[in-house]
Amino acid sequence: MLNREDLLRFKKYVEDDLIEKQRLLPMLQQKNINMARLVQYQIQDMMALLFRIEKELARI
């Protein structure tokens, strides 16, 4: 099991990646709709992962 510091580090990594994907999404929607859909699914997965990380952090 990950400790609190590892979870916080992982959370920061996921948040940074999520911000980057959200920033790129509008451009992808104009240029490549298939890639935009893939990124949208990744964003949804990352948001669910952040929710689970927060839940685990609250439990620790």
Side-chain angles (χ1 to χ4, degrees):
M1 198 61 179
L2 296 174
N3 62 31
R4 184 170 184 78
E5 293 80 27
D6 291 338
L7 280 172
L8 289 170
R9 200 169 328 138
F10 185 57
K11 178 184 173 197
K12 175 73 172 132
Y13 169 78
V14 172
E15 286 173 336
D16 290 347
D17 197 29
L18 178 61
I19 290 168
E20 184 67 19
K21 286 186 185 334
Q22 288 173 329
R23 188 182 67 77
L24 292 174
L25 188 58
M27 179 192 66
L28 286 173
Q29 288 172 327
Q30 293 174 355
K31 304 224 181 224
N32 186 340
I33 194 67
N34 290 330
M35 185 62 77
R37 285 188 187 126
L38 176 63
V39 170
Q40 284 176 323
Y41 292 138
Q42 290 174 340
I43 287 171
Q44 290 171 355
D45 289 345
M46 293 170 81
M47 291 175 77
L49 179 59
L50 283 174
F51 175 76
R52 281 178 275 184
I53 292 170
E54 287 291 334
K55 191 174 176 182
E56 184 64 22
L57 283 170
R59 190 186 69 75
I60 294 179

